[in-house]
Amino acid sequence: MARRGGTKSNPWRASWEDQAGGIHTKVFRYKAEAERHEREMRKQRKQAIGTLAEWLAGGGEERFMSGLAESTKKTYRGHLHLRIIPDLGNIDIHKITPDRIERARDQWLETGLSPSAVTGTMNALARIFRTLRKARMIEVSPSAEAERPTILVPKKPPTLTPVEVERLAKAVTFARQDGVDRSIYGDYVRIAAYTSLRAGELAVLSPEDVHLDSNLIWVSRASSAGVRSTTKDKEGRWVIVVDAIRPTLQRLISDHDGRSDAPLLHGPF
């Protein structure tokens, strides 16, 4: 907003911020002239930003991913190049509205994409606009008003019976034409079913984590997008070994011929 503080002959000062965050001023004789100039400068600044795809290609992608874990960067790149750029990339940044984001959301849902994946895409988009705000390239993030899809959580999560667990374990180990032994997948299913370990936790489970003498498994690591890190809650936990998987764990430990911290479960993919 124009304010006083110019010269005696031109007492009104217009102030505006350029695309890089620099502050500029110019003095005018009348307040209306100063305010008109400020509006014009803001308009030019918006037009100078360009499309979302142009900003991302010009270094924006690196900027908005700064500080993220490698696994999160990989996930966000998927959201970015599969949906955000194809559907919103050719639009001028200042023309992307909450309504336009919600229309893209609805299109993604109509293609069969899960609500959680759509929410992840919108989270990546929100981080992009937060980065643009920090750079003073936009004043308001359109993502702030765009509603995420509703993710329905069942009141009572479905569980598998022992018979169903075994049926599933056998189903994923069926023989294929390449002749590769895929029995390890049945072990994945059995251990996951009776321990509730996440896929990333199973991928890095090692013999040294399994304490059969005390019927416990120590879970403190996980793998996400091929990168080892801590578990999701960043704290280790003990998991009880039930009788149903004791023979499976004994066999895997006995057959394991690598380092004690090497993965217990491995196989063809």
Side-chain angles (χ1 to χ4, degrees):
M1 180 181 293
R3 58 184 176 81
R4 289 186 177 277
T7 63
K8 186 175 182 179
S9 57
N10 294 294
W12 289 96
R13 183 180 298 273
S15 300
W16 68 95
E17 193 173 23
D18 63 24
Q19 190 173 345
I23 302 297
H24 303 269
T25 63
K26 186 175 181 180
V27 295
F28 293 86
R29 184 175 182 180
Y30 300 108
K31 180 180 180 181
E33 292 178 331
E35 291 180 338
R36 184 165 52 249
H37 186 77
E38 286 180 339
R39 288 194 297 270
E40 182 61 29
M41 291 299 101
R42 285 197 294 268
K43 181 179 178 181
Q44 290 182 16
R45 183 170 176 269
K46 286 181 178 180
Q47 293 172 341
I49 295 174
T51 66
L52 182 59
E54 290 170 343
W55 178 77
L56 289 165
E61 181 172 343
E62 181 179 349
R63 287 171 64 188
F64 99 86
M65 288 196 186
S66 177
L68 293 175
E70 288 301 319
S71 58
T72 305
K73 288 181 180 180
K74 186 172 182 178
T75 300
Y76 274 16
R77 286 192 188 100
H79 295 319
L80 194 64
H81 297 287
L82 289 175
R83 289 173 287 279
I84 293 175
I85 292 177
D87 296 334
L88 298 170
N90 65 340
I91 304 175
D92 286 345
I93 288 175
H94 70 280
K95 292 183 180 179
I96 299 178
T97 62
D99 175 70
R100 184 63 186 85
I101 293 174
E102 290 184 350
R103 282 188 282 137
R105 173 206 63 195
D106 293 342
Q107 290 172 3
W108 297 331
L109 290 170
E110 288 171 4
T111 64
L113 195 66
S114 69
S116 60
V118 173
T119 296
T121 302
M122 295 182 72
N123 289 341
L125 193 59
R127 186 177 177 88
I128 288 174
F129 284 112
R130 284 199 300 273
T131 304
L132 287 164
R133 279 200 63 195
K134 290 177 182 178
R136 302 295 189 268
M137 298 175 72
I138 60 173
E139 296 177 5
V140 178
S141 168
S143 285
E145 295 182 45
E147 296 184 10
R148 268 63 165 173
T150 301
I151 301 177
L152 299 176
V153 179
K155 294 182 179 179
K156 185 177 180 181
T159 57
L160 298 175
T161 66
V163 172
E164 291 171 330
V165 170
E166 195 57 34
R167 185 185 303 150
L168 178 59
K170 290 179 178 179
V172 298
T173 61
F174 65 92
R176 300 188 185 182
Q177 294 181 351
D178 57 15
V180 177
D181 180 16
R182 288 178 169 79
S183 59
I184 194 71
Y185 295 146
D187 295 333
Y188 269 99
V189 169
R190 294 182 184 95
I191 297 175
Y194 290 107
T195 64
S196 296
L197 265 66
R198 301 180 179 95
E201 294 168 343
L202 281 169
V204 296
L205 187 67
S206 67
E208 68 178 12
D209 298 323
V210 182
H211 304 270
L212 292 178
D213 55 339
S214 54
N215 291 324
L216 292 170
I217 297 175
W218 175 242
V219 184
S220 61
R221 296 166 296 172
S223 175
S224 178
V227 179
R228 282 198 178 198
S229 62
T230 60
T231 54
K232 195 169 185 178
D233 58 8
K234 301 187 184 304
E235 296 181 3
R237 70 184 189 281
W238 290 101
V239 175
I240 296 175
V241 175
V242 298
D243 291 341
I245 58 168
R246 174 177 279 275
T248 299
L249 291 171
Q250 288 176 327
R251 171 173 50 79
L252 289 170
I253 292 173
S254 177
D255 294 343
H256 191 272
D257 56 2
R259 304 185 318 275
S260 61
D261 63 343
L264 191 62
L265 291 159
H266 56 83
F269 294 95

